[in-house]
Amino acid sequence: MLPLIMLSSCKINKEYDEMVPLPAIAEKAPRSEQEVVERQKLLEEIYNQPYPEYRVNPGDVYRVSVYGYLDLETKDVMVSPDGELSVTLLGPVKIGGMTLKEATAELERCYQHYIKYPKVAMFIISIASQSATIAGKVNNAGLYPVSKGFRLRDLLASARGTPTELFNGQGFEVADFSTSIYIRGDRVIPIDFDRAFQTGDPLHNIEVHPGDYVYISSRADKLVSVLGEVHLPCFIVWYENMGLIEAITNARGLKDEYYHDAVVIRRGVEGINFYKVNVDGVFRGTVANASLLPGDIIYVPKDKMSAYNVFVRKLMPTAQLMNALLSPVIWMDNR
């Protein structure tokens, strides 16, 4: 049943030799001059944005003292979820959302009912609200305290960087900075993570503000598989501009019995598509190196598969495997 379901969603010509050549990977549309200017303007705006003034938030812990009245000292008191701070003599006082100066003034105003000219001091013990989140493919995802001058690279360092895993006996970075995102408030900031981490460009290695959210994407869902007449059938981590030559080379090359036309299987919005690529032509340089996309399957046959029924019969035993390979890859995250 599974092969029939799979093939029912395939687009294929009746004669295998008539299949269209594999199209090159779609290049990113170049940004217009206006888009470039607007993006640069936004980054400069973010860069020049002042660090937000601290305001009292639920979960923050303080020590409150009143000058000249040791018995009124309140130690290690936490701001409640509704923004109230319970202090000696006064009980709960609403100071949530205030600056420290405003909160101190409010406490002094309340103490004036009992003390003439009170002088209140608020000492910060811990600030739960002054934190940012980093999630995804980092070694220790979570909330981390931030302060003025704390930047994106510092946040990644707090999370102990990104993991490296073994794949086909080789180590590779699991993180994919090209698709990672930085969110502040209700908008995504268009920073270049590679420039931020590698060069420290201040327009991209931005100052982290409380409440910011960073998600480091995974490369685990960007795999290409190579099957058939290659020395090492395997998965390969896809990278930008990967082509057929690179994929077959990573699979230790072709066996002597390979057929000169390989099949590339690709999932599209309308189902599964099959494409033919002349391997000999690609390696000779007479045919353009076919660019690959994440999730592509390269199948190198042992002999000619020209007629439709021969093509189906040859691939039918591996239909279940191919269907699994074309599904979202989750096994790496569950290892």
Side-chain angles (χ1 to χ4, degrees), residues 17-256:
D17 285 340
E18 296 177 1
M19 292 173 66
V20 295
L22 178 70
I25 183 172
E27 296 181 358
K28 292 181 181 178
R31 291 189 176 93
S32 67
E33 185 175 340
Q34 180 180 354
E35 288 175 321
V36 172
V37 171
E38 290 177 352
R39 183 171 183 267
Q40 183 70 12
K41 183 179 179 181
L42 174 58
L43 290 173
E44 290 175 356
E45 175 190 329
I46 296 296
Y47 175 76
N48 293 317
Q49 191 175 54
Y51 193 80
E53 185 176 14
Y54 168 73
R55 294 183 178 274
V56 178
N57 279 283
D60 297 348
V61 179
Y62 295 90
R63 177 167 62 87
V64 180
S65 63
V66 182
Y67 181 74
Y69 296 87
L70 295 179
D71 56 332
L72 294 183
E73 183 178 52
T74 304
K75 296 182 179 180
D76 297 349
V77 59
M78 180 182 293
V79 180
S80 67
D82 56 1
E84 292 183 336
L85 190 71
S86 293
V87 294
T88 305
L89 186 63
L90 299 179
V93 179
K94 187 81 169 183
I95 60 172
M98 297 182 180
T99 65
L100 276 179
K101 184 177 179 180
E102 293 169 343
T104 300
E106 176 64 13
L107 290 173
E108 290 178 344
R109 187 189 67 79
C110 293
Y111 271 119
Q112 284 178 355
H113 295 288
Y114 308 98
I115 303 170
K116 191 174 183 178
Y117 305 124
K119 294 295 181 183
V120 174
M122 294 181 65
F123 302 93
I124 298 173
I125 304 301
S126 65
I127 304 179
S129 60
Q130 294 290 98
S131 60
T133 302
I134 183 168
K137 281 301 175 180
V138 291
N139 286 308
N140 282 327
L143 283 166
Y144 290 93
V146 298
S147 58
K148 184 176 176 60
F150 189 89
R151 296 189 172 273
L152 178 56
R153 286 207 297 190
D154 300 318
L155 183 61
L156 181 66
S158 298
R160 295 180 56 195
T162 57
T164 300
E165 296 189 5
L166 282 178
F167 187 77
N168 287 338
Q170 297 180 338
F172 78 100
E173 289 289 336
V174 178
D176 178 18
F177 294 133
S178 65
T179 56
S180 297
I181 58 173
Y182 194 115
I183 299 175
R184 175 172 296 169
D186 59 354
R187 66 179 177 180
V188 175
I189 301 177
I191 65 171
D192 185 323
F193 282 79
D194 285 315
R195 290 177 66 176
F197 296 143
Q198 293 175 13
T199 68
D201 185 334
L203 285 182
H204 299 273
N205 183 33
I206 61 175
E207 187 175 53
V208 181
H209 288 187
D212 285 359
Y213 179 85
V214 177
Y215 182 80
I216 305 299
S217 299
S218 171
R219 298 176 66 187
D221 57 350
K222 290 190 172 184
L223 299 178
V224 170
S225 52
V226 187
L227 306 173
E229 295 304 301
V230 291
H231 289 289
L232 181 65
C234 61
F235 289 103
I236 303 168
V237 179
W238 179 88
Y239 54 84
E240 191 172 359
N241 298 322
M242 173 186 281
L244 187 75
I245 291 177
E246 292 76 17
I248 292 179
T249 300
N250 273 278
R252 307 285 176 83
L254 299 162
K255 291 183 178 180
D256 293 337

